[in-house]
Amino acid sequence: MQHIQSSYQGLSLLISLNWDRLLWPVAIVAALATAGLLAGL
């Protein structure tokens, strides 16, 4: 149980430090999807 808890804390730390790096691909995919929707109109 302690191993799972320490793994979760480590993953939480990684996400809190690198959330902006995770945001870039999400923003790019959202922009491409929006452009595709607008092009289909």
Side-chain angles (χ1 to χ4, degrees):
M1 188 68 183
Q2 287 179 342
H3 181 68
I4 294 171
Q5 187 177 5
S6 69
S7 296
Y8 177 75
Q9 287 175 347
L11 182 63
S12 176
L13 177 64
L14 274 175
I15 290 174
S16 67
L17 290 176
N18 294 320
W19 67 269
D20 56 336
R21 291 185 185 186
L22 295 174
L23 189 62
W24 276 103
V26 172
I28 290 171
V29 168
L32 289 173
T34 303
L37 287 173
L38 289 176
L41 291 178

